[in-house]
Amino acid sequence: MSDKKVIVLPGDGIGPEVLREARKVLEEANRHFELGLVLEERVAGGAALDKYGEPLPSETLQACRHARGVLHGTFGGPEWDENPSHKRPLTALLNLRKELDVYANIRYARPFPALLSKAPLKDELLEGVDIVIVREVTSGIYYGPKERRSSGRSFRASDTMMYADFEIERVARRAFEISQTRNKKLTCVDKANVLECSRLWRKVVRDLHREYPDVELEFMYVDICAMQLVLNPKNFDVVLTSNIFGDILSDEASAVLVGSVGVLPSATLGEEGQTSLFGPIHGPVNEIAGKDIANPLGTILSGALMLRFVFKEEKAAAAIERAVEKVLDEGYRSAELMTPGMIKVGCMEMGNLIAERLKSIAGQLKQT
Ligand code: IPM
Ligand code: MN
């Protein structure tokens, strides 16, 4: 494994344009903080399907395995929608999570002061909200046996939710550890009134709790959680949940609490020292691809998380986050974040602004 190697996977739709801006910002950080990172691009998703007939070519996977971090864009597009699941662009991301065994997906729902008016909830409900969602992403219904059968003119399809105890334990351990660095409150979200998988989750998480007695643990059904996230978001600190529930709740949290799915970054981590995965949580939004109107913030902030988690470059990571905040405070908005009175900028312009602010923040830090 090369110490400073980062693989970037632009993907499809708006992926390439948001990734280009994230790369610009990372390279700026690389220069000013002398990080020594080496960024290399590989092909995955629809682009790889077209070129090599598979969404995650083995050369791409190998390159990812040998890197410390992978920063991805978005995957998918209408041209591949009818493909069988192993030939769908999204499979690149799903296989990458599985192959790298990065089981803990971490998403922060922390409103930006400048975007409070964009989020649909009242400001007083949002001020002070700071939630981390720890989502299991290498198992569950995404990966269980699936099939489609036909008998006569009727079809039947199934997807299976399956969890092994060790898969629950390792991600729960991460969530407890994260809780210990924060307000020490962990909410485990499930559907234990109906699902056997959820009952196993409860058992494993309850047993593990003995090792983390300083953390307050509560269990909550996913339907209640979906409601509570909008009614009382301040009551949450760390949320631990399975693959599909985390997918849904994190979109809800980002759209309702932060104002858009376009600004939330994510980090997907395995064991210490393994390759980690970073990228935005939104989709490829193919309708606006190539028009330079996409919002690159989720991808840029994912780059910051990579500097923090993989390279332990806290200063550089925080500087990128400050640069994003500064640009938002100054009133610059991507089209999807526009509110009256703000200044609309394109994808590239947004990247340029953040890179410029980063440069001056880095300069100021050097003088102190
Ligand atoms: C996400 C995305 C993915 C998921 C898709 C692209 C497979 O929606 O990261 O939330 O469902 O995990
Ligand atoms: Mn999602």
Side-chain angles (χ1 to χ4, degrees):
M1 181 178 288
S2 161
D3 242 22
K4 299 280 182 177
K5 179 77 69 70
V6 171
I7 297 293
V8 298
L9 305 174
D12 318 305
I14 59 170
E17 45 199 299
V18 293
L19 205 84
R20 191 181 55 226
E21 300 317 310
R23 203 173 163 165
K24 187 185 286 173
V25 172
L26 269 180
E27 290 291 13
E28 197 72 34
N30 208 8
R31 233 186 331 274
H32 292 290
F33 293 90
E34 295 166 21
L35 308 177
L37 302 186
V38 180
L39 275 62
E40 276 184 19
E41 190 168 315
R42 290 291 188 282
V43 57
L49 272 168
D50 288 350
K51 220 167 160 188
Y52 304 105
E54 48 185 341
L56 186 65
S58 59
E59 201 276 328
T60 298
L61 176 60
Q62 283 316 321
C64 292
R65 277 193 206 286
H66 290 115
R68 299 278 314 278
V70 176
L71 181 65
H72 65 77
T74 57
F75 302 98
E79 58 270 55
W80 307 286
D81 269 355
E82 300 306 317
N83 286 12
S85 66
H86 67 287
K87 297 241 183 242
R88 293 170 72 90
L90 279 185
T91 303
L93 187 56
L94 297 178
N95 288 359
L96 206 51
R97 287 173 180 165
K98 190 79 175 171
E99 291 291 334
L100 298 176
D101 204 22
V102 282
Y103 50 84
N105 177 248
I106 298 170
R107 299 183 173 182
Y108 297 88
R110 201 182 289 145
F112 286 88
L115 295 181
L116 281 180
S117 64
K118 180 72 180 61
L121 294 191
K122 294 191 201 88
D123 288 5
E124 59 265 31
L125 278 178
L126 293 174
E127 277 154 9
V129 166
D130 184 351
I131 303 173
V132 185
I133 298 179
V134 181
R135 167 190 174 200
E136 200 293 324
V137 285
T138 50
S139 184
I141 197 166
Y142 277 46
Y143 295 93
K146 49 179 90 232
E147 73 167 350
R148 172 132 32 136
R149 268 175 295 155
S150 62
S151 67
R153 287 177 56 199
S154 140
F155 289 88
R156 226 172 255 274
S158 63
D159 298 272
T160 318
M161 188 188 287
M162 230 170 0
Y163 268 106
D165 50 4
F166 73 90
E167 292 171 325
I168 302 166
E169 188 184 317
R170 60 187 189 171
V171 70
R173 198 172 279 290
R174 259 305 154 76
F176 275 115
E177 283 166 7
I178 292 172
S179 300
Q180 284 183 321
T181 66
R182 298 170 45 99
N183 287 333
K184 301 190 170 57
K185 180 172 176 197
L186 178 62
T187 307
C188 180
V189 176
D190 59 33
K191 188 72 185 169
N193 47 349
V194 179
L195 302 177
E196 200 54 43
C197 266
S198 294
R199 291 193 275 268
L200 181 61
W201 269 74
R202 282 202 181 194
K203 181 191 172 333
V204 173
V205 173
R206 215 174 256 134
D207 287 351
L208 194 63
H209 186 208
R210 290 198 205 105
E211 293 181 38
Y212 304 90
D214 53 326
V215 176
E216 181 196 335
L217 170 67
E218 68 173 358
F219 291 96
M220 192 180 282
Y221 296 140
V222 63
D223 48 353
I224 312 249
C225 180
M227 177 176 67
Q228 285 300 322
L229 271 175
V230 277
L231 292 180
N232 290 305
K234 267 178 245 183
N235 281 349
F236 294 95
D237 179 22
V238 181
V239 170
L240 163 67
T241 192
S242 60
N243 205 340
I244 188 141
F245 296 157
D247 180 44
I248 299 165
L249 294 175
S250 59
D251 267 25
E252 182 195 6
S254 55
V256 177
L257 306 177
V258 187
S260 158
V261 290
V263 286
L264 236 68
S266 88
T268 315
L269 313 173
E271 296 302 323
E272 188 64 36
Q274 304 271 93
T275 309
S276 312
L277 200 56
F278 300 84
I281 73 162
H282 59 74
V285 214
N286 302 81
E287 317 81 78
I288 63 160
K291 296 186 175 160
D292 193 35
I293 54 176
N295 170 10
L297 295 186
T299 317
I300 291 173
L301 291 167
S302 297
L305 290 186
M306 177 168 69
L307 298 188
R308 172 169 299 129
F309 287 121
V310 177
F311 299 103
K312 315 289 182 218
E313 295 285 357
E314 178 56 34
K315 245 195 206 165
I320 293 177
E321 289 165 349
R322 284 218 343 253
V324 168
E325 229 163 280
K326 200 155 190 305
V327 167
L328 290 175
D329 286 345
E330 288 167 22
Y332 295 104
R333 298 286 185 275
S334 299
E336 65 132 4
L337 295 177
M338 266 308 276
T339 45
M342 297 296 122
I343 313 151
K344 197 196 286 185
V345 292
C347 187
M348 195 183 289
E349 176 71 11
M350 188 55 120
N352 289 343
L353 285 164
I354 293 166
E356 271 168 37
R357 300 300 177 272
L358 176 63
K359 191 170 162 185
S360 54
I361 291 169
Q364 284 161 14
L365 282 174
K366 260 188 207 144
Q367 285 167 12
T368 55

